[in-house]
Amino acid sequence: MANHKSSLKRIRQTKKRTLHNRYYAKTMRNAVRKLRAMTDKEEAVKLYPSVQKMLDKLAKTNIIHKNKASNLKSSLAKHINKLG
């Protein structure tokens, strides 16, 4: 167990931050899954900007890596272009 006040506080902060990051990462994964499962091009085109925005925000706040966000965006764009 930690002995210093500062280390106890860091533990509390880390738990809270981890929970926050996990929530947004899971939300992003579900949105990506939902978009990949779509077969209708019009619906996918409507949903894509919001997913793209979410990926950019998570990359900006270092919840996911910027290259991962780029790779996901490009693969989703390819998927949407294949539809139709």
Side-chain angles (χ1 to χ4, degrees):
M1 188 63 207
N3 294 320
H4 296 281
K5 269 190 170 181
S6 62
S7 57
L8 291 170
K9 182 178 179 180
R10 291 305 268 166
I11 290 168
R12 288 195 309 269
Q13 286 177 327
T14 304
K15 273 187 199 171
K16 190 174 181 181
R17 202 171 287 128
T18 301
L19 204 63
H20 177 267
N21 291 347
R22 193 185 298 152
Y23 169 77
Y24 283 103
K26 183 71 172 178
T27 305
M28 177 267 304
R29 280 197 301 276
N30 288 336
V32 168
R33 263 189 220 117
K34 184 179 175 185
L35 190 59
R36 282 209 179 110
M38 285 188 173
T39 53
D40 183 31
K41 187 169 185 167
E42 287 180 22
E43 283 183 44
V45 168
K46 283 182 188 173
L47 185 65
Y48 181 68
S50 63
V51 173
Q52 190 176 8
K53 184 178 179 183
M54 189 186 302
L55 288 167
D56 286 336
K57 277 187 177 180
L58 293 178
K60 183 176 151 190
T61 55
N62 290 321
I63 294 172
I64 60 171
H65 196 273
K66 65 183 177 105
N67 290 351
K68 180 184 176 77
S70 296
N71 290 335
L72 283 171
K73 286 192 294 186
S74 69
S75 69
L76 289 172
K78 278 184 195 172
H79 171 72
I80 290 172
N81 286 332
K82 278 185 188 175
L83 295 175

